[in-house]
Amino acid sequence: MEKITGAAMLLKSLLCQKTELIFGYPGGAIMPIYDALFSYNKKIRHILTRHEQGAIHSAQGYSRVTGKTGVCFATSGPGATNLITGICDAMLDSTPVVCITGQVPSNLLGTDAFQEANIISMTTSITKWNYQITKANEIPFVIAKAFYIAMTGRPGPVLIDITKDAQFELTEYEEKLFSFENLIKINNSGYLNNISLAINLINKAKKPYLLVGHGVTIAKAEDEILKFTNKTRIPVASTLLGLSAFPCNHPLYVGMLGMHGNYGANILTNEADLIIAVGMRFDDRVTGNLKSYAKQAKIIHIDIDPSEINKNVICTVPLVGDAKEILQILINGVEKNNHDNWLKKFRECDDIEYQEVIKKDLEKSDEKEIKMAEVINLLSEKTNGKSILVTDVGQHQMIAARYYKFTNNNSHITSGGLGTMGFALPAAIGAKLGAEEREVIAIIGDGGFQMNIQELGVVMQENIPLKIIVLNNSFLGMVRQWQELFFENRISSTEMHNPNFIKIIEGYGIRANKAENHTELNDYLDELLASKESYFLEVKVIKNENVFPMIPAGAGVSDVRFS
Amino acid sequence: MNSTYVISIIAENTLDIFQRLSVVFSRNRLFINQFNFEASKQNLNSHFYIEISTDEIKMERVVKQLKKIIELSDIKAVHKNHFNTNNKDVYLCQN
């Protein structure tokens, strides 16, 4: 049998997993793998990012739009540690990513060798699994296991660290299929005992309320959610990561939950008699103060991860398993119904929210100043809510979530759990490479844009037709908002003196424009959407705008502020 | 109300199994009162007995998080008063 290097074996193993695209950055301890990659460049496309954080966020964006496992490479030491934020982000947002890191030769492990970092220890608590390979013959099995773990059950990141000597080592290779059936125990039938209980509660409820989370998108259960709601006529709200799992123009859609969510969607949580939570984890941004969260309601919690059950909110009926399968059973069991009076309450709240917030957000003042909501609302209208939006973290993220009316599934990508500034640009690059046929638009604030601005080099080098909109208010806006509201307006280190973004973008050979009034905004948005190439639009927005409604941290979902 | 529990774990005897277990306790800010470990004769599996004092909700959460460790093959948690060290017969008190 022919002998090949561990590095070549890694690439063969990745091909066995149908890997087509890798994001990465080379360095000393991973050079044998990059050398082997040279021979595989017709089968595997490698995207040279400008920073390892860019590599993992791109892999996340790719994974989120394709549903496949994202793959990234980094060298040892700083290369590996630069992945850490992205790994943690992928863990919190349940994104399957396999990170391959080079490591110093095994005889140098533990000696503080050049670029040696104990990445296994560092990532133990933020990966589903990690493993250090020191022998080439381990590679096929470990890589297959890594992909299985990343994708099975609740998805998440896996890190495989490969010592340099293992990458060089010559070993016999034979393509094998590995089985990991019992590795992750998923109780696929555990929910069956509770199904009739759940159906009974749903049929009897007078004010039922369906909460849709990211798990619906991961399970590809969007059609089932539609069928379920069309039959039961239960009002539907979405978490931040659940956005686009249910069409925003559906008559039963009542809005987004959470700190900056919709008024009715939040306060009526405390009036519902039954909450059906699908693929969401009752995050503190959604529940506010748990002591006053939905105490009157019975709760059916559908989630594939048993550790989420009763973690934050004690549920009446747990249904642990795949959301798609469970919903299919529920659809057959529940009765046709309608809850028009209950739905009317949400619409009454919508009217209040419109008068208190939305009208002001969308109203054009006589002045030239542009509001963030105006940008997103216009973009939503011009695209019919059909684009993939990749947002960063901060005010613009909340405004995009509130005002973009998603009509296509799997169209909202953001850093929800970790709240990673700098996420959007590289994640949008990955998303565009994963969904070339769709319009991908990155919406970023001026702060987050400068956290991974170097990834514009990837857009340039790979000629990626990505659309980028930076909402520039020359502030770290969300922090400034909190300083104004909760820290006696002591504006501490949040004002930004920004560079000339247009000149920077032009330096990357990307077409760029800056909108400073309503007419320019309209015209440049048309140009951006018509462009077949990458396009950057900076929008100068009002400096001191705040995002409302808002539930202050630690307050209950009923304690909504409009100003 | 805090009680003392013994968590019995059988896990694959890998290099980093101690760390995988310990991060679950540290992130939940749980002190370990006692920690006993024995490897199987073939050295493939390790058997851990970990004693902690906490309330039932936190204990349940920790057990669920421990169950997510890939190398873990079995876990049982029991109130210390019910723990029999002679036959190591522990009751599964949380699913």
Side-chain angles (χ1 to χ4, degrees):
Chain A
M1 199 181 295
E2 189 197 4
K3 286 186 173 181
I4 62 170
T5 65
M9 205 177 280
L10 170 72
L11 294 170
K12 281 182 178 288
S13 303
L14 291 174
L15 282 171
C16 284
Q17 300 300 324
K18 303 189 169 33
T19 300
E20 297 165 339
L21 191 61
I22 295 168
F23 302 90
Y25 202 101
I30 199 168
M31 284 189 68
I33 290 173
Y34 271 86
D35 181 61
L37 190 61
F38 187 78
S39 310
Y40 283 82
N41 61 9
K42 287 200 169 62
K43 292 178 179 167
I44 299 178
R45 183 179 179 189
H46 179 271
I47 303 292
L48 174 64
T49 60
R50 297 302 187 264
H51 190 286
E52 291 84 355
Q53 190 184 355
I56 185 156
H57 289 328
S58 293
Q60 287 178 271
Y62 173 81
S63 170
R64 293 268 284 267
V65 296
T66 60
K68 298 176 188 172
T69 301
V71 181
C72 61
F73 283 177
T75 191
S76 64
T81 56
N82 280 341
L83 294 176
I84 284 179
T85 302
I87 294 173
C88 193
D89 195 287
M91 187 72 168
L92 278 166
D93 285 351
S94 310
T95 312
V97 177
V98 170
C99 306
I100 309 289
T101 50
Q103 183 55 279
V104 300
S106 52
N107 64 317
L108 294 180
L109 287 169
T111 66
D112 296 329
F114 176 66
Q115 292 194 331
E116 184 198 0
N118 186 354
I119 197 66
I120 295 296
S121 282
M122 289 181 206
T123 56
T124 294
S125 61
I126 53 168
T127 49
K128 275 186 86 177
W129 186 59
N130 60 15
Y131 189 81
Q132 187 173 66
I133 293 175
T134 54
K135 298 282 176 205
N137 61 12
E138 293 179 281
I139 290 173
F141 175 77
V142 170
I143 294 298
K145 186 172 172 179
F147 275 77
Y148 176 83
I149 291 170
M151 281 295 281
T152 308
R154 179 178 179 173
V158 172
L159 182 136
I160 305 300
D161 195 37
I162 310 178
T163 58
K164 199 168 180 180
D165 50 324
Q167 296 172 41
F168 276 127
E169 189 185 350
L170 285 164
T171 312
E172 289 177 350
Y173 173 78
E174 187 186 2
E175 199 169 307
K176 271 189 203 168
L177 281 177
F178 300 98
S179 171
F180 302 100
E181 264 174 34
N182 295 316
L183 192 63
I184 294 178
K185 296 160 200 78
I186 301 169
N187 195 346
N188 276 329
S189 55
Y191 56 80
L192 290 173
N193 295 335
N194 289 340
I195 282 281
S196 56
L197 209 56
I199 289 170
N200 199 29
L201 285 178
I202 294 166
N203 288 339
K204 284 185 177 166
K206 301 288 178 216
K207 294 179 178 180
Y209 190 20
L210 182 66
L211 313 185
V212 169
H214 189 200
V216 171
T217 301
I218 293 171
K220 297 184 171 66
E222 295 98 338
D223 286 348
E224 283 72 16
I225 285 284
L226 260 180
K227 283 179 191 158
F228 178 80
T229 47
N230 286 338
K231 189 170 181 185
T232 58
R233 308 302 292 171
I234 294 175
V236 184
S238 165
T239 66
L240 176 68
L241 287 185
L243 284 174
S244 81
F246 194 82
C248 293
N249 56 2
H250 193 285
L252 290 167
Y253 184 67
V254 299
M256 184 178 74
L257 301 159
M259 184 173 266
H260 294 284
N262 292 101
Y263 178 57
N266 277 320
I267 68 157
L268 292 176
T269 306
N270 280 352
E271 263 193 48
D273 62 358
L274 176 69
I275 288 175
I276 308 153
V278 189
M280 56 88 77
R281 57 190 175 91
F282 294 104
D283 168 69
D284 58 282
R285 283 294 191 266
V286 163
T287 63
N289 189 342
L290 283 169
K291 285 180 184 159
S292 58
Y293 181 79
K295 290 300 173 196
Q296 77 298 336
K298 290 189 167 58
I299 294 175
I300 298 170
H301 192 179
I302 301 172
D303 204 292
I304 201 161
D305 182 354
S307 76
E308 291 300 339
I309 304 295
N310 296 339
K311 186 181 79 176
N312 296 326
V313 171
I314 303 296
C315 70
T316 320
V317 181
L319 297 174
V320 178
D322 180 78
K324 193 179 181 81
E325 288 172 20
I326 293 171
L327 283 164
Q328 281 167 350
I329 299 171
L330 288 179
I331 291 164
N332 291 330
V334 293
E335 294 163 0
K336 277 190 178 177
N337 212 331
N338 82 70
H339 301 281
D340 289 347
N341 289 338
W342 172 226
L343 186 64
K344 207 173 143 195
K345 285 205 157 202
F346 286 92
R347 299 306 169 214
E348 287 165 8
C349 290
D350 289 348
D351 292 341
I352 295 170
E353 185 177 346
Y354 181 79
Q355 289 302 327
E356 295 286 341
V357 178
I358 297 172
K359 193 177 166 191
K360 294 173 200 165
D361 275 358
L362 297 179
E363 210 168 47
K364 282 183 194 168
S365 59
D366 291 338
E367 296 159 36
K368 291 177 180 175
E369 287 182 314
I370 301 170
K371 295 171 184 168
M372 287 182 282
E374 183 189 343
V375 183
I376 304 299
N377 191 54
L378 198 56
L379 183 69
S380 183
E381 285 174 5
K382 286 179 185 292
T383 58
N384 295 317
K386 291 190 185 306
S387 299
I388 294 176
L389 242 58
V390 185
T391 62
D392 215 73
V393 173
Q395 285 184 317
H396 73 278
Q397 177 192 34
M398 293 297 116
I399 292 289
R402 284 178 55 76
Y403 287 97
Y404 196 83
K405 304 299 174 202
F406 295 94
T407 52
N408 269 1
N409 292 143
N410 200 9
S411 298
H412 180 243
I413 297 170
T414 197
S415 169
L418 194 62
T420 307
M421 284 176 69
F423 172 84
L425 179 57
I429 290 169
K432 184 63 189 172
L433 289 169
E436 288 177 343
E437 74 291 353
R438 292 191 64 190
E439 184 78 272
V440 177
I441 305 171
I443 310 284
I444 319 178
D446 49 307
F449 183 52
Q450 292 176 84
M451 280 198 172
N452 271 319
I453 194 169
Q454 76 287 342
E455 297 306 311
L456 288 169
V458 181
V459 178
M460 178 183 69
Q461 183 168 342
E462 299 293 335
N463 201 18
I464 298 168
L466 177 68
K467 312 297 167 62
I468 304 162
I469 299 175
V470 166
L471 301 183
N472 182 0
N473 59 6
S474 299
F475 263 112
L476 299 174
M478 189 58 91
V479 185
R480 187 206 52 73
Q481 176 171 341
W482 281 50
Q483 287 173 341
E484 182 187 321
L485 298 177
F486 310 118
F487 292 88
E488 297 169 344
N489 204 25
R490 289 153 65 88
I491 306 301
S492 176
S493 298
T494 45
E495 184 163 18
M496 301 194 90
H497 289 243
N498 285 322
N500 184 332
F501 287 129
I502 301 298
K503 281 191 174 173
I504 291 175
I505 308 303
E506 284 172 350
Y508 282 101
I510 297 169
R511 191 167 172 203
N513 264 312
K514 182 175 182 177
E516 298 189 72
N517 58 52
H518 306 295
T519 312
E520 285 177 350
L521 174 65
N522 186 61
D523 294 348
Y524 292 149
L525 272 182
D526 285 340
E527 265 185 34
L528 175 139
L529 294 170
S531 175
K532 300 287 178 212
E533 295 173 338
S534 56
Y535 191 106
F536 175 90
L537 176 61
E538 178 187 354
V539 184
K540 191 183 169 196
V541 294
I542 295 174
K543 282 187 93 165
N544 297 320
E545 209 182 350
N546 288 338
V547 184
F548 290 108
M550 180 179 193
I551 300 168
V557 287
S558 302
D559 304 322
V560 178
R561 282 182 67 162
F562 289 125
S563 60
Chain B
M1 197 180 73
N2 278 7
S3 299
T4 303
Y5 297 93
V6 177
I7 300 175
S8 161
I9 295 167
I10 297 174
E12 207 181 319
N13 199 6
T14 57
L15 275 174
D16 37 27
I17 189 64
F18 278 97
Q19 192 188 3
R20 291 192 196 284
L21 296 174
S22 68
V23 292
V24 175
F25 293 95
S26 60
R27 75 176 284 221
N28 284 285
R29 294 198 61 77
L30 278 176
F31 286 96
I32 292 172
N33 303 342
Q34 265 195 55
F35 187 99
N36 296 301
F37 159 79
E38 57 186 271
S40 67
K41 281 176 188 161
Q42 296 79 20
N43 215 25
L44 298 172
N45 283 320
S46 323
H47 201 154
F48 300 85
Y49 300 96
I50 301 166
E51 185 188 300
I52 55 168
S53 296
T54 186
D55 59 66
E56 198 178 340
I57 292 172
K58 209 168 202 181
M59 194 275 293
E60 184 185 346
R61 188 166 79 209
V62 164
V63 168
K64 282 179 177 173
Q65 289 173 0
L66 287 165
K67 278 182 179 176
K68 293 169 98 167
I69 296 173
I70 299 294
E71 288 83 357
L72 190 145
S73 52
D74 197 14
I75 179 166
K76 287 164 184 172
V78 66
H79 200 283
K80 195 183 178 187
N81 297 341
H82 300 145
F83 181 64
N84 185 335
T85 49
N86 292 328
N87 58 19
K88 292 173 182 164
D89 180 18
V90 290
Y91 310 113
L92 187 65
C93 61
Q94 300 293 339
N95 284 312

